[in-house]
Structures are given as structure tokens and as C-alpha cells.
């Protein structure tokens, strides 16, 4: 089984507007058991799980990090590959129309990580925020250009 196929089978992969929220099979496990299992295989499992973990939850106050993501960041945030996995997870989605609202939902959660105890996490969140803000500006510009009849 290829890694991508395995991710599709067990993970929260290829989020889209129409799919709604659902977690993959892997996340039916108790979170403490999953974290312990990840600790047993630190060279591969934290990165793998970070790429497929459900990232955000809907709350009254807006979108917020899934508690498991925060636990992964706290426990494995020194590992650059785990942070890259979360970035990959953020940027793996299916969308139609403007992606501005998709990217904006991550701004507040990432902003909250700017004060994380781990320097690696703080640096990663700042870098990711800049990247998302750049994508938002680019997408808004594209929308404005389409409105006046300029197409790529």
C-alpha cells in the first residue's frame, strides 16, 4: 500500500468545502494511546500523523486547533519534519472559487502559536502566517483582476 493511499484510508485528507468535518480511522484511537504509539516510533510516526490529523475545530469563537494537533506540537514541535507535515496538511485541500476564506481560518490559530514555548514552533508559525497572508493577497488580486476581465 502506498503512503498516499494509506493516508487516504486512515487520515483526514483532502478536505473540501462539501465534505464537512470527519476524522480518519486512525483518530478513532484514544489520543493518549496514539501519542504513546507515536513516541515509540519517533522517526516516522509523528510526521506521518501530522500530515493527516484533523487540524481545526469549529467553536463559538471561531476555528481553533484540534486538541490533538496542540498535543503533537507540544510533544514533537522540535522536529522540523512534524511542523512541515502540519504545513503540508494545511495546504492539502480541494476548493472551488476563492481560497481566501480557507486560508483565513488558519490565521488566528497560527497567531496563537507565536507565543509557544518552543522556538521552533514560534518560528514555524510566523513563517506559515507570512505564507498564508501572501496567498490571501495573491488570491484577492486574482479575484479583482477577474472582476475586470483579466484572466491568466
Amino acid at each position: 500500500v502506498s503512503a498516499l493511499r494509506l493516508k487516504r484510508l486512515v487520515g483526514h485528507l483532502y478536505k473540501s468545502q462539501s465534505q464537512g468535518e470527519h476524522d480518519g480511522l486512525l483518530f478513532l484511537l484514544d489520543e493518549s494511546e496514539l501519542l504513546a504509539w507515536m513516541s515509540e516510533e519517533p522517526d516516522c510516526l509523528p510526521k506521518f500523523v501530522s500530515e493527516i490529523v484533523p487540524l481545526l475545530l469549529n467553536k463559538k469563537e471561531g476555528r481553533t486547533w484540534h486538541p490533538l494537533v496542540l498535543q503533537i506540537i507540544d510533544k514533537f514541535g522540535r522536529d522540523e519534519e512534524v511542523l512541515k507535515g502540519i504545513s503540508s496538511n494545511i495546504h492539502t485541500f480541494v476548493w472551488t472559487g476563492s481560497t481566501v476564506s480557507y486560508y483565513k481560518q488558519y490565521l488566528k490559530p497560527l497567531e496563537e502559536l507565536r507565543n509557544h514555548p518552543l522556538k521552533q514552533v514560534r518560528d514555524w508559525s510566523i513563517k506559515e502566517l507570512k505564507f498564508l497572508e501572501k496567498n490571501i493577497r495573491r488570491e484577492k488580486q486574482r479575484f479583482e483582476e477577474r472582476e475586470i476581465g483579466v484572466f491568466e
Side-chain angles (χ1 to χ4, degrees):
V1 177
S2 72
L4 182 58
R5 182 157 165 74
L6 182 61
K7 288 176 187 178
R8 286 182 183 160
L9 289 171
V10 300
H12 185 85
L13 195 60
Y14 296 122
K15 304 163 289 289
S16 76
Q17 292 165 293
S18 61
Q19 286 178 328
E21 293 296 319
H22 59 83
D23 298 343
L25 295 173
L26 186 62
F27 305 104
L28 297 175
L29 294 172
D30 177 76
E31 288 181 8
S32 60
E33 290 177 19
L34 180 58
L35 288 164
W37 183 48
M38 291 167 65
S39 295
E40 291 172 13
E41 298 290 340
D43 293 336
C44 63
L45 282 180
K47 180 184 186 306
F48 175 78
V49 172
S50 72
E51 293 174 349
I52 61 172
V53 66
L55 295 172
L56 300 175
L57 293 175
N58 283 321
K59 299 277 182 149
K60 270 192 307 190
E61 60 276 3
R63 302 285 275 165
T64 185
W65 290 116
H66 190 290
L68 181 57
V69 174
L70 292 175
Q71 291 178 69
I72 290 169
I73 289 170
D74 290 346
K75 191 165 187 164
F76 303 103
R78 286 182 179 84
D79 185 342
E80 183 180 336
E81 293 302 311
V82 170
L83 299 174
K84 283 181 183 177
I86 295 171
S87 292
S88 174
N89 193 339
I90 290 171
H91 298 285
T92 303
F93 64 98
V94 177
W95 206 263
T96 58
S98 173
T99 56
V100 170
S101 61
Y102 177 81
Y103 289 129
K104 278 186 171 182
Q105 71 182 338
Y106 287 98
L107 295 179
K108 184 176 175 259
L110 282 163
E111 191 67 43
E112 293 168 359
L113 292 176
R114 291 179 75 145
N115 298 315
H116 194 276
L118 296 176
K119 181 182 182 330
Q120 296 92 327
V121 173
R122 292 191 306 269
D123 292 348
W124 168 78
S125 69
I126 291 166
K127 181 179 170 188
E128 193 65 36
L129 277 164
K130 287 178 182 176
F131 186 71
L132 289 176
E133 289 165 350
K134 178 181 172 186
N135 282 340
I136 290 168
R137 283 191 306 276
R138 187 175 346 151
E139 184 65 22
K140 284 180 177 180
Q141 180 181 358
R142 266 192 278 220
F143 181 77
E144 291 168 2
E145 290 171 351
R146 279 179 266 176
E147 288 290 301
I148 61 170
V150 177
F151 300 97
E152 295 178 28

